[in-house]
Amino acid sequence: MSNKKNKIIDPDKTKELQKDWQGYGKSTAYFGLVVLFIFIVSVLYYIFMN
């Protein structure tokens, strides 16, 4: 049973997945900052152009 589990959970693969998720988190955070910046600029534009 434990041999089968060790074959399914490969440490090398889990390390690669962790790297992928860290990159995904960074890109998501940057995307969120860009969206927030665009939102703030649009609100300021709306306020000052009216």
Side-chain angles (χ1 to χ4, degrees):
M1 183 82 177
S2 64
N3 279 342
K4 191 175 185 182
K5 222 177 198 183
N6 287 339
K7 288 181 184 177
I8 293 172
I9 301 173
D10 186 12
D12 295 332
K13 287 184 181 179
T14 55
K15 283 181 186 177
E16 289 299 317
L17 284 173
Q18 285 175 354
K19 283 183 186 176
D20 289 346
W21 276 108
Q22 286 173 353
Y24 176 76
K26 282 183 185 177
S27 64
T28 304
Y30 288 137
F31 179 75
L33 287 175
V34 168
V35 170
L36 181 65
F37 177 74
I38 292 171
F39 177 75
I40 290 171
V41 168
S42 64
V43 167
L44 291 175
Y45 178 81
Y46 180 77
I47 290 171
F48 289 113
M49 291 300 166
N50 270 342

